[in-house]
Amino acid sequence: RFPVLPSEQHSYIAGTCDMGGLSERLPVVIPFEPERTSLASLRVPIEVKTVDGMQRRTSLFQELLAMMVDLPNPHGWPTASKLTYRFGVWPDETYDESDPGTTPKIVPAASEADLVSKWIPRPLDFDLILVPQAQVDANDVCTLVSAAAAAAQEGFIQPPPPPS
């Protein structure tokens, strides 16, 4: 029993029901000071919030976990690693004009102690991208696009029907 039809909500709410895809972008804004906040310290507000004195997962993190569970693991990461994410930034300032195959630049794990301002000089103009670990190879290169293409070839992702 759902107060709202599952087909009108994100699929993670309906558990294993296949009621459509996950949203591409959630309108989540996390207040921080880029010159004083490290990337690593952003993990807490991304993942949890306090509601009535209880720690709860944020809707953003629930969405991310649901996506990570179902993604292919082309690089063979252990199951526990598959449920983690890395930070990414867009490689140039032309997001809207970038080639469709462009992928985010992955922030090395050792650099997560860096201030946000080092990686995103103008945070109001650019997004911090959360990339599932399963879509990052051993050289810290995001392979999300190529993995999606491989999944489509293997039948995991059904391509849209041709235009009629």
Side-chain angles (χ1 to χ4, degrees):
R1 298 179 188 176
F2 296 102
V4 177
L5 289 174
S7 60
E8 296 175 9
Q9 296 290 328
H10 297 292
S11 60
Y12 73 86
I13 293 174
T16 58
C17 294
D18 187 14
M19 293 292 190
L22 303 172
S23 62
E24 292 182 13
R25 181 177 180 174
L26 291 176
V28 175
V29 176
I30 298 173
F32 66 95
E33 296 178 52
E35 299 82 18
R36 297 177 60 178
T37 306
S38 70
L39 289 167
S41 66
L42 285 177
R43 287 188 181 273
V44 173
I46 288 171
E47 296 175 14
V48 296
K49 64 182 178 178
T50 303
V51 177
D52 296 330
M54 295 176 49
Q55 296 278 8
R56 303 184 67 101
R57 289 182 179 153
T58 63
S59 59
L60 171 69
F61 192 54
Q62 289 181 57
E63 183 98 359
L64 185 62
L65 285 172
M67 181 180 62
M68 291 189 296
V69 165
D70 291 332
L71 280 174
N73 187 6
H75 307 296
W77 293 104
T79 303
S81 293
K82 187 180 172 198
L83 293 176
T84 61
Y85 62 92
R86 302 286 299 278
F87 292 116
V89 294
W90 202 249
D92 57 43
E93 294 188 14
T94 58
Y95 177 80
D96 293 332
E97 301 157 12
S98 295
D99 178 55
T102 304
T103 59
K105 178 180 180 183
I106 301 300
V107 175
S111 298
E112 286 193 16
D114 292 347
L115 295 176
V116 173
S117 59
K118 178 178 178 180
W119 289 91
I120 306 175
R122 295 187 329 265
L124 294 177
D125 296 332
F126 295 96
D127 293 331
L128 180 63
I129 303 167
L130 306 181
V131 181
Q133 179 65 52
Q135 307 307 299
V136 178
D137 69 14
N139 297 315
D140 280 349
V141 175
C142 177
T143 58
L144 187 62
V145 172
S146 60
Q153 288 175 346
E154 295 175 20
F156 293 119
I157 300 172
Q158 296 299 321
S164 49

